[in-house]
Amino acid sequence: MKKLFAVSLMILLVAGMLFAGGNRASGTTAVIGIAMPETHVERWVKDGNQLKSEAEKRGYTGLVQWANADQPTQNQQIEGFLTQGARALIIGSVNDGVGAAVASAKRENAIVIAYDRIIQGTHEYGYYITFNNYKVGTLQGQSIVEGLNLNTATAAAPKYITLFAGSPTDANANFFFQGAMDVLLPYIDRGVLNVVGPFPRHYTEAAFQQIATENWQAPIAKARMEGLLIGAAANVTLDAILAPNDTLAIATLEACKADAKYAGRLPITSGQDAQFSSMMSIKNGEQYSTVFKDTAKLAEAAMLLADQLLKGQPVNIPGAVLAAGDLTQIAYTGTGYVTTYLLDPVLVTRNSNFLAPVNAGFYPANEANQLR
Ligand code: BGC
């Protein structure tokens, strides 16, 4: 009898531990800290809110904070989550300075999931979940090939492009750039596409710093575009702009719109994030393309991952693939590899997949109605 009692007690204790994650059962809810980098790029507002609601859906308390692209602020926010007893952290990092907060989390045995942006300089965290960022770049490159009809262009009448990249502190920026360049370089080498302004062939070159945009700040990109228009691009008409995301696409287009030369013929401009303002711009025939990354799906997948880890269950993330083969590079932190799950991005132009993000429920009704 005593033995039976001891065994039952043990079962109860183990069940209690297993539920320490989710925990409607015990009446207390485990805390998950959600650290988002910034709000000046619209997507992160959605990501944070979505992650919080996904946490709550699974019975956790989701605490969310945005760091205003300021690294020390982000680390303070993460330390705050740990003080409030967070058992897991989902981090969209400002930059790799977050490593110190990751080390604190490790000391507290909290699970760390890098969200969308890899955390480099350490691999002392378990998981990274993101989109296939290299593919995002190839889609941007392909949209420029399509928009400029580069397959029928000739070296006698070449097209002119200028290059913009994202933050040099964000590893994603180099995957976006490299993916795009792998598509564009053959046309550049054939002489049918000419680069105006700084021209790095690879992100490792010094010229990459000249096209990079610190912290993805729109005013920086706009000012650089204005400089190009009266500088390197003064004597040509640009046919295209490689812009790494929607915020920077809109910024470069604003600069072009202020230049009479571009009235009615804005450059074919890429983007990313399917942000509402860019979708309206695409609808109106201004920005040419964006890349839709269904961040609601990313948030759902990240929270499922956290839930499975907290409950000690085997990890199984439907709709995501493990970064393997050619894609292992996406999982490299500089010190080692983290287990990385990738979701698939989708190219959107006015003529293809335009309603994909609308139909996925990506916008509130008032915005969706304007896009339909
Ligand atoms: C994200 C993009 C975003 C950019 C700026 C990148 O890490 O993957 O979706 O546009 O940061 O916030």
Side-chain angles (χ1 to χ4, degrees):
M1 192 61 187
K2 232 176 172 179
K3 203 167 164 196
L4 189 67
F5 177 73
V7 169
S8 322
L9 193 68
M10 192 97 116
I11 291 173
L12 279 176
L13 278 174
V14 170
M17 273 159 70
L18 285 178
F19 268 103
N23 251 308
R24 284 160 256 224
S26 68
T28 58
T29 56
V31 171
I32 298 186
I34 301 160
M36 297 286 103
E38 62 211 25
T39 53
H40 71 270
V41 173
E42 190 181 291
R43 65 157 287 185
W44 295 109
V45 177
K46 280 194 187 189
D47 283 90
N49 292 332
Q50 193 78 35
L51 281 160
K52 185 175 163 60
S53 80
E54 287 293 335
E56 282 159 6
K57 217 154 82 187
R58 292 180 182 280
Y60 297 97
T61 299
L63 303 176
V64 60
Q65 293 211 293
W66 289 265
N68 196 22
D70 183 60
Q71 208 297 307
T73 301
Q74 182 163 65
N75 280 11
Q76 275 163 25
Q77 292 173 337
I78 294 173
E79 297 292 350
F81 294 147
L82 291 170
T83 309
Q84 292 173 83
R87 300 312 315 135
L89 298 169
I90 297 192
I91 304 176
S93 54
V94 171
N95 63 41
D96 296 336
V98 76
V102 172
S104 300
K106 194 179 153 71
R107 283 194 295 275
E108 306 279 327
N109 287 321
I111 289 162
V112 171
I113 298 173
Y115 180 84
D116 194 86
R117 296 178 175 174
I118 198 165
I119 298 168
Q120 291 184 311
T122 171
H123 57 286
E124 292 202 338
Y125 59 100
Y127 293 87
Y128 172 36
I129 187 155
T130 188
F131 289 85
N132 180 339
N133 295 313
Y134 177 79
K135 183 171 173 187
V136 170
T138 62
L139 295 175
Q140 292 173 335
Q142 280 163 25
S143 78
I144 287 172
V145 169
E146 173 195 295
L148 293 181
N149 289 316
L150 283 185
N151 287 319
T152 56
T154 62
K159 307 283 185 185
Y160 294 92
I161 187 169
T162 195
L163 308 174
F164 280 74
S167 184
T169 58
D170 179 352
N172 286 349
N174 96 53
F175 286 106
F176 303 147
F177 179 70
Q178 211 53 69
M181 288 312 268
D182 285 349
V183 173
L184 296 175
L185 279 170
Y187 298 93
I188 296 171
D189 292 341
R190 272 188 11 230
V192 300
L193 183 63
N194 284 343
V195 178
V196 178
F199 172 28
R201 292 178 73 91
H202 302 285
Y203 85 98
T204 41
E205 290 162 27
F208 181 80
Q209 290 300 324
Q210 293 173 262
I211 66 161
T213 314
E214 192 71 28
N215 279 330
W216 300 89
Q217 293 287 352
I220 296 179
K222 188 176 175 195
R224 192 166 82 78
M225 188 72 214
E226 286 164 351
L228 281 164
L229 292 174
I230 53 169
N235 299 319
V236 291
T237 302
L238 289 169
D239 300 294
I241 301 170
L242 175 67
N245 79 350
D246 288 346
T247 309
L248 303 188
I250 297 285
T252 56
L253 286 172
E254 265 173 23
C256 293
K257 282 186 193 172
D259 183 332
K261 194 158 99 185
Y262 293 97
R265 67 175 315 282
L266 287 172
I268 296 291
T269 302
S270 60
Q272 156 176 213
D273 290 338
Q275 147 177 322
F276 176 69
S277 53
S278 282
M279 289 292 284
M280 285 305 285
S281 174
I282 293 172
K283 190 178 178 193
N284 296 332
E286 295 189 339
Q287 187 174 326
Y288 184 75
S289 68
T290 185
V291 176
F292 172 46
K293 303 191 297 187
D294 194 338
T295 50
K297 290 255 155 49
L298 186 67
E300 189 184 356
M303 210 44 83
L304 175 63
L305 176 60
D307 190 34
Q308 290 170 348
L309 293 171
L310 284 168
K311 290 179 178 155
Q313 293 170 349
V315 171
N316 174 26
I317 312 294
V321 295
L322 264 175
D326 288 352
L327 294 169
T328 34
Q329 239 0 68
I330 293 184
Y332 187 60
T333 69
T335 59
Y337 291 88
V338 284
T339 307
T340 296
Y341 292 92
L342 302 175
L343 273 65
D344 205 32
V346 176
L347 181 65
V348 171
T349 65
R350 199 177 179 186
N351 303 322
S352 64
N353 299 325
F354 186 75
L355 287 178
V358 178
N359 295 338
F362 197 59
Y363 308 101
N366 63 324
E367 292 181 357
N369 291 339
Q370 292 176 69
L371 293 170
R372 278 204 185 88

